[in-house]
Amino acid sequence: MWQQTLITLRAKPRGFHLVTDELLAGLPELKACRVGLLHLWLQHTSASLTVNENADPAVRRDFERFFNLLVPQGRAGFEHNDEGPDDLPAHFKASLLGCQLSLPVKAGRLAIGTWQGVYLGEHRDHGGARKVLATLQGDEA
């Protein structure tokens, strides 16, 4: 089986957001997959996808603090600021974390760890809705 779906994630404020449930809601076909892979491709250059802690929201807040220290807004010496002072730092953060994930599927569910979830890193102050192209390949149940 091959299935490809474009999922639009609701606009979120700057920060890291657990979006596992929002992604799964857009993929009802996943329940029919016995074994396979789900590839997620974020179609934006100022946001990111990563997998990490799904239970304690403090982890997501600490991620935001860490990446803001690593890539501070307003640092002199860079040219690209077409869309404001958060523009280039957002591109840097997106490149550091990446825009794609490959996740295992087993028995109609994501085969990720108990404490793992998919984060959207929204690196713009007002990024808007984000699109994720989800490609599911595998054997049907």
Side-chain angles (χ1 to χ4, degrees):
M1 93 185 269
W2 282 87
Q3 172 72 36
Q4 195 167 68
T5 305
L6 186 63
I7 299 168
T8 301
L9 300 174
R10 294 181 310 276
K12 293 171 180 36
R14 184 172 167 164
F16 287 82
H17 306 276
L18 191 60
V19 294
T20 312
D21 290 343
E22 196 173 351
L23 291 166
L24 293 176
L27 290 167
E29 303 83 5
L30 187 79
K31 292 178 181 163
C33 187
R34 183 179 63 78
V35 61
L37 285 174
L38 174 63
H39 183 261
L40 302 172
W41 181 269
L42 181 65
Q43 296 182 322
H44 301 276
T45 61
S46 56
S48 60
L49 292 175
T50 191
V51 172
N52 216 292
E53 166 75 41
N54 71 359
D56 185 357
V59 175
R60 295 189 299 276
R61 292 189 299 270
D62 287 339
F63 259 61
E64 178 67 6
R65 287 182 192 97
F66 172 79
F67 279 96
N68 287 337
L69 289 170
L70 188 64
V71 185
Q73 208 167 285
R75 181 174 282 169
F78 297 110
E79 293 179 49
H80 182 76
N81 63 359
D82 294 348
E83 297 177 32
D86 66 335
D87 193 14
L88 187 61
H91 294 307
F92 286 153
K93 292 171 189 177
S95 286
L96 287 169
L97 288 161
C99 66
Q100 65 180 319
L101 297 172
S102 289
L103 304 170
V105 176
K106 180 179 179 181
R109 301 177 56 144
L110 292 180
I112 57 179
T114 302
W115 304 110
Q116 291 182 317
V118 178
Y119 288 8
L120 170 74
E122 177 52 71
H123 307 305
R124 298 297 310 272
D125 291 333
H126 307 287
R130 299 298 191 170
K131 295 186 183 308
V132 177
L133 186 63
T135 305
L136 175 63
Q137 73 177 69
D139 292 335
E140 291 187 68

